[in-house]
Amino acid sequence: MNIGDVATRSGLPAKTIRYYEDIGLVKPLRDTNGYRTFREIELHKLAFLGRARALGFSIEDCRNLLQLYEDESRTSAEVKEIAASHLERIRQKIVDLREMSDTLSNLIDSCAGDHRPDCPILESLGTKIS
Amino acid sequence: MNIGDVATRSGLPAKTIRYYEDIGLVKPLRDTNGYRTFREIELHKLAFLGRARALGFSIEDCRNLLQLYEDESRTSAEVKEIAASHLERIRQKIVDLREMSDTLSNLIDSCAGDHRPDCPILESLGTKIS
DNA sequence: CATAAAGGTTCCAGTTATAGGAAGGTCAAG
DNA sequence: CTTGACCTTCCTATAACTGGAACCTTTATG
């Protein structure tokens, strides 16, 4: 399989796949013409990466997960810990965003949004400091 | 005021303040020794920026907000639109994160997290593709 | 007064996870 | 044989800083 095929089948852009090779996540063979040649195993790994990335795992998390995936003697506890710590980060992010969203929402509600210059949003941002 | 003072008073790192000058958000004067000299107005702007950034506004949003802030003839509608579109992006981000979080949460719950290698998390990520 | 610590300056590189594009080699079809 | 679709590498850019090197100025101390 050439890179175009794996791109189609994995759903990842060819650019991304080359990048993943660069950083050592996949190691396709090379044809005599210099083209990358992917086996099923690589395709499989790339699909794995796509799914993990879609769940927001960082590249480094992905690297660890992939390694565990291939390690027959892993323990599920190892995997669970990576996932749990990722989940914790996501949850914190949601909390932060919700706080922003609430504040913004209030400001927006209190702004007339008309032709006049008075704006509670700007006033709040511009509050003089001590 | 030197940069250290404004850093303390605005809560922004000196590095960040220099960066903000670089990209034209603030324009401090220069002393004869080359040191930046900030007036109250600059401090005020930096505090404004700090608050807007804390609400997740992008630097470009901040640039626009700052300009509107200083423009006596702005309309509150202009400001409200920037804020509303930012809010929309935040809300979408929350939706995305919540989806990730739910999926991950389910996977984590179904994983024993013990010494055995069987792991539904990895299984889900590694599902063979067609 | 000499010196050392604290604070200032510029400039360059690194971060994350790609995306875009140039310049050029290769392959299948008409 | 040429056209177009693929492929290659390499360089640049993104957002918003952060860290560090090399160097200058000001302030405090023995």
Side-chain angles (χ1 to χ4, degrees):
Chain A
M1 262 180 293
N2 282 347
I3 201 168
D5 307 316
V6 236
T8 306
R9 294 183 60 191
S10 69
L12 295 172
K15 276 266 179 191
T16 300
I17 297 173
R18 291 196 193 96
Y19 172 66
Y20 286 174
E21 183 190 10
D22 258 15
I23 63 175
L25 288 178
V26 286
K27 307 195 195 318
L29 304 173
R30 291 297 177 132
D31 209 337
T32 50
N33 57 13
Y35 285 20
R36 287 171 183 79
T37 298
F38 296 81
R39 288 153 300 173
E40 285 296 323
I41 177 69
E42 317 286 348
L43 172 59
H44 192 190
K45 275 198 200 179
L46 287 167
F48 180 105
L49 288 167
R51 278 184 221 107
R53 294 285 302 129
L55 283 176
F57 283 102
S58 71
I59 290 287
E60 281 321 299
D61 279 342
C62 289
R63 194 188 299 279
N64 292 325
L65 289 172
L66 208 46
Q67 191 185 320
L68 290 174
Y69 185 63
E70 298 183 298
D71 175 6
E72 299 291 324
S73 72
R74 82 210 157 213
T75 67
S76 65
E78 297 174 273
V79 181
K80 190 168 184 170
E81 199 200 316
I82 294 178
S85 114
H86 177 43
L87 177 59
E88 197 33 61
R89 283 194 298 272
I90 290 178
R91 288 197 164 138
Q92 186 53 54
K93 192 95 189 158
I94 291 175
V95 168
D96 294 346
L97 288 174
R98 184 158 297 293
E99 200 176 310
M100 282 184 197
S101 144
D102 289 348
T103 304
L104 258 183
S105 204
N106 284 335
L107 287 174
I108 288 173
D109 284 350
S110 65
C111 172
D114 57 18
H115 62 288
R116 291 170 302 172
D118 321 84
C119 178
I121 301 171
L122 289 184
E123 273 162 33
S124 165
L125 291 172
T127 304
K128 290 274 194 311
I129 62 180
S130 54
Chain B
M1 261 180 294
N2 282 347
I3 202 168
D5 306 316
V6 239
T8 305
R9 292 182 61 191
S10 70
L12 296 172
K15 275 270 181 188
T16 300
I17 297 173
R18 291 196 193 96
Y19 172 68
Y20 286 173
E21 183 190 10
D22 260 14
I23 62 175
L25 288 178
V26 287
K27 305 193 197 316
L29 303 173
R30 291 297 177 131
D31 210 336
T32 50
N33 58 12
Y35 284 20
R36 290 170 181 80
T37 299
F38 297 81
R39 289 154 301 176
E40 284 297 321
I41 177 70
E42 316 288 347
L43 172 57
H44 191 192
K45 275 198 201 179
L46 288 167
F48 180 106
L49 288 168
R51 278 186 222 103
R53 293 288 299 129
L55 283 175
F57 283 102
S58 71
I59 289 289
E60 281 322 298
D61 278 343
C62 288
R63 195 188 297 281
N64 293 325
L65 289 172
L66 210 45
Q67 191 184 320
L68 289 173
Y69 185 65
E70 296 182 300
D71 175 7
E72 300 290 321
S73 72
R74 80 202 160 221
T75 67
S76 65
E78 297 176 273
V79 181
K80 191 168 182 168
E81 199 200 316
I82 294 177
S85 114
H86 177 42
L87 178 58
E88 200 29 62
R89 282 194 298 273
I90 290 177
R91 287 197 166 137
Q92 186 53 55
K93 191 93 190 158
I94 291 175
V95 168
D96 293 346
L97 288 175
R98 185 159 296 292
E99 201 177 311
M100 281 184 198
S101 141
D102 289 348
T103 305
L104 258 184
S105 203
N106 284 334
L107 287 175
I108 288 173
D109 285 350
S110 65
C111 173
D114 57 20
H115 64 287
R116 291 169 302 175
D118 322 83
C119 177
I121 302 171
L122 289 184
E123 273 163 32
S124 166
L125 291 172
T127 303
K128 289 276 192 311
I129 64 182
S130 52

